[in-house]
Amino acid sequence: MSLNAVDVAIVAGYVALVLYAGTFARKSIRGLAGFLVAERSMGLHLGLASLIASEIGIITYMYLAEAGYRNGLAALIIGLPFFVVVLFLGRTGFIIKPLIELRIMTLPELFERKYGRGVRFLAGFLMAVGGLINFGVFPGVEAKFINTVTGLPQDAVLWTMIGLLAVVLAYTALGGMVSVIFTNYVQYILLSLGMIFLTVFGVLKLGWPRIVASSAEAFGPKGLNPFAAGSPFGLSYVLWQLLFQLSVLTIAPYITMRIFAAKDARTGARIFAWSSVLFLARAIIPVFWGVMALAYLTTRPEDPLQALPLMIAGLTPKGLLGLLLAALLAASMSTYASYLLSWSSVISQDIIGVAYERLTGRRLGDRSRLLVNRATMAAMILFILWWSFRFQSEELLFFYLMLAVNLFLAGTLVSAVFGLYLHDRRFGLLRGRRWGAYAAFILGAVPTVLFFLPAHPPVSRLGLWSYILALSGMVGGSVAQNLLDPDAPKGEAA
Amino acid sequence: MTFWPAVWLVVLALGVGGFTVVSILVAVKGYAEIKAILHKLKSGPDEGRDRRPS
């Protein structure tokens, strides 16, 4: 085992601290708004900590470091679209501001107001499926990481992951968003310390010239220049990623829940403006670790995903390894907590809640919704453990993760833009309507379904096509409904 | 061969430097916000809003 007694004590102490902080919040929870959006009380700095902590996990480090390890310094271009889109959202409040002003708890609620309950149900269903098959690979990949860094046997890693998930389930199900905000704060401090330490320590140990030389030697000009011939990046990649990140950052539930928990629309927009530099760091630091691994490792691992944990285990002095591992576990636990809360709220509010209302004609009470939410979380834990250890794909992990959420992303972005900005009679035939929303969701999901077929087009083309299809579906469906059924029926906003 | 390494060095310095500065701000000011949330939740959403210092 690579850890010594001090390392183990640091990790155990950290887990105990997080569990205490999370369950402490339980006493303060009253009702669903307290549980899901913490009474909309989150300020700028906690908002930043929560957004970044939930958006960084071991899985983030793994797939971004893989990109750096396989493409050299040129892969740092990955950070650019994040930075530009987050800055744009912070400056303009595009989509974010109207969503906060509508005071909704989940995005499908917007679709019910604009397009009717059926669209809300479809959106919730696609979000839940896409979210779960994305989230479902996290424990398996992260178990490999912990296995390599700690030297623990694979069986022990499985139980470690189950233990961690149980801790996350305990504090999230008990304390909801308040717990998530508190624990995210502790986790953010730890993970930022760990990220800064590993980067500075690695550069001092390896030296900048050696890092640059290893990229150039391994890949030639395209290892440094992302626009060089033969590079997997280039202009088309940047354009596609701008669109993709715009969708993720405005409509993915694990991000929008942070924004809905903000005190007001201005705070929500400020969280984005300030987080632009954090999102830049979130992307480039792990990519750079992958480049450092390229310079550090003399023997190339068979599985490129293993490059990062091998470097961390070899490079970090004992004693510090415990602190770094606690920081990395912190990053993952906050991601699990956030994803559990956001996906379970989509399932309980937008699928079970809507179906119950449809079948019985009554709304679920606050107490029943909380109960359903907690039961959903427990069921999700079982599902992701099962999916995680049966998942296999020959594609890059990065591509799989993007295409999984693309199941709902394109349809949601297009429907949200039409619902918020193109929804009154001034827009004539182009006014966003229910048929358009249905078509956008269904057509936007087709490329992800194709991805699971044995032979499919290149992933970047599938990703772009999902947006083109969703937009075509919205325009075609809305024009058809505006021609054939110009008056908004009951349940659809005029 | 020196242009792109220089670009990446600047990007990394901005990214890591900015991350460090914002992280220190978040650590210090986030703690005060946690105390404010606890106060608000303990006194109930409406009372808490009334009592919040202007």
Side-chain angles (χ1 to χ4, degrees):
Chain A
M1 185 164 144
S2 319
L3 300 177
N4 64 20
V6 179
D7 293 325
V8 174
I10 290 171
V11 174
Y14 157 72
V15 172
L17 175 71
V18 164
L19 194 57
Y20 173 74
T23 49
F24 178 73
R26 186 194 176 193
K27 296 173 200 159
S28 317
I29 300 297
R30 300 172 192 191
L32 197 65
F35 186 80
L36 287 186
V37 290
E39 304 286 3
R40 301 182 202 277
S41 55
M42 193 167 66
L44 173 66
H45 300 91
L46 282 182
L48 282 174
S50 193
L51 184 65
I52 296 301
S54 65
E55 275 308 289
I56 296 180
I58 291 175
I59 187 100
T60 324
Y61 300 139
M62 292 282 271
Y63 74 73
L64 288 169
E66 185 198 22
Y69 182 74
R70 292 175 70 167
N71 297 286
L73 281 168
L76 287 170
I77 192 78
I78 287 174
L80 192 71
F82 278 105
F83 181 68
V84 172
V85 171
V86 178
L87 205 59
F88 166 76
L89 291 173
R91 301 287 264 182
T92 62
F94 181 64
I95 299 183
I96 304 297
K97 266 189 183 168
L99 284 180
I100 296 176
E101 282 160 6
L102 284 168
R103 295 181 71 83
I104 52 177
M105 286 198 226
T106 68
L107 203 69
E109 282 182 52
L110 169 76
F111 300 138
E112 179 170 358
R113 290 193 198 184
K114 301 289 181 183
Y115 305 114
R117 202 176 295 159
V119 175
R120 175 180 182 172
F121 185 84
L122 177 63
F125 178 75
L126 290 175
M127 279 184 168
V129 175
L132 283 176
I133 60 173
N134 169 285
F135 187 23
V137 301
F138 292 14
V141 173
E142 298 192 350
K144 271 190 208 166
F145 177 94
I146 296 172
N147 180 242
T148 310
V149 170
T150 59
L152 283 169
Q154 192 71 40
D155 285 355
V157 171
L158 173 64
W159 286 107
T160 309
M161 295 307 292
I162 292 173
L164 284 177
L165 284 168
V167 171
V168 172
L169 177 68
Y171 76 71
T172 310
L174 291 174
M177 192 57 154
V178 180
S179 295
V180 171
I181 290 175
F182 285 10
T183 49
N184 277 179
Y185 173 73
V186 177
Q187 288 154 347
Y188 178 83
I189 290 174
L190 265 175
L191 78 87
S192 56
L193 277 174
M195 285 173 73
I196 294 164
F197 164 76
L198 185 60
T199 311
V200 175
F201 185 75
V203 173
L204 291 176
K205 190 100 176 168
L206 296 169
W208 178 251
R210 182 173 158 192
I211 293 169
V212 175
S214 65
S215 279
E217 281 164 19
F219 307 107
K222 69 178 182 181
L224 300 175
N225 176 3
F227 300 98
S231 168
F233 302 108
L235 192 61
S236 59
Y237 171 85
V238 173
L239 291 174
W240 172 47
Q241 279 295 301
L242 286 172
L243 203 56
F244 182 85
Q245 298 306 337
L246 182 68
S247 326
V248 172
L249 291 165
T250 52
I251 59 184
Y254 38 88
I255 293 182
T256 51
M257 277 194 77
R258 294 292 172 298
I259 308 303
F260 299 157
K263 278 194 292 198
D264 47 44
R266 187 168 164 266
T267 305
R270 283 177 73 207
I271 290 173
F272 266 103
W274 275 85
S275 62
S276 56
V277 70
L278 301 182
F279 269 99
L280 176 69
R282 170 198 180 269
I284 63 171
I285 289 178
V287 168
F288 185 61
W289 292 349
V291 184
M292 290 197 316
L294 187 68
Y296 176 75
L297 297 173
T298 44
T299 315
R300 300 272 174 263
E302 203 173 298
D303 179 2
L305 279 171
Q306 294 288 8
L308 177 66
L310 283 172
M311 182 194 72
I312 288 178
L315 193 68
T316 317
K318 296 240 166 127
L320 282 175
L321 192 59
L323 194 64
L324 195 65
L325 190 62
L328 298 176
L329 287 176
S332 278
M333 287 171 75
S334 53
T335 308
Y336 286 147
S338 165
Y339 278 44
L340 266 182
L341 189 68
S342 54
W343 293 125
S344 67
S345 70
V346 167
I347 294 171
S348 61
Q349 302 265 90
D350 303 312
I351 301 178
I352 299 174
V354 170
Y356 180 84
E357 207 176 321
R358 179 92 181 172
L359 293 173
T360 63
R362 287 183 293 132
R363 289 182 78 87
L364 270 173
D366 253 22
R367 188 185 285 260
S368 308
R369 281 183 187 229
L370 275 175
L371 194 68
V372 169
N373 206 305
R374 287 169 175 162
T376 308
M377 281 186 198
M380 280 172 62
I381 293 270
L382 293 177
F383 172 81
I384 64 169
L385 281 172
W386 171 74
W387 182 262
S388 194
F389 290 97
R390 76 173 289 282
F391 165 78
Q392 277 185 331
S393 171
E394 287 178 9
E395 288 285 357
L396 275 178
L397 181 62
F398 186 51
F399 286 151
Y400 167 80
L401 292 171
M402 285 201 289
L403 257 295
V405 288
N406 236 102
L407 187 74
F408 64 87
L409 226 44
T412 309
L413 179 69
V414 169
S415 301
V417 169
F418 273 74
L420 291 169
Y421 297 104
L422 297 155
H423 205 267
D424 61 54
R425 293 187 182 276
R426 279 184 297 148
F427 297 99
L429 287 178
L430 282 178
R431 179 166 59 110
R433 298 293 303 277
R434 181 186 302 192
W435 295 2
Y438 276 125
F441 275 106
I442 292 166
L443 293 177
V446 168
T448 299
V449 177
L450 294 178
F451 174 75
F452 285 95
L453 298 178
H456 58 73
V459 174
S460 58
R461 206 175 297 168
L462 284 175
L464 264 181
W465 269 103
S466 67
Y467 289 92
I468 296 167
L469 286 171
L471 183 63
S472 314
M474 173 56 86
V475 172
S478 297
V479 168
Q481 192 176 1
N482 284 323
L483 282 172
L484 301 171
D485 179 23
D487 295 319
K490 190 183 170 195
E492 186 182 5
Chain B
M1 286 294 271
T2 54
F3 173 74
W4 283 105
V7 169
W8 299 131
L9 191 60
V10 171
V11 169
L12 277 167
L14 284 176
V16 178
F19 185 57
T20 308
V21 172
V22 179
S23 296
I24 292 169
L25 271 174
V26 165
V28 175
K29 296 200 170 179
Y31 183 68
E33 287 177 16
I34 282 188
K35 289 206 292 192
I37 289 184
L38 274 180
H39 177 77
K40 181 175 176 178
L41 289 167
K42 275 180 185 161
S43 54
D46 293 322
E47 285 174 73
R49 197 170 296 133
D50 292 339
R51 285 181 198 168
R52 202 162 50 205
S54 56

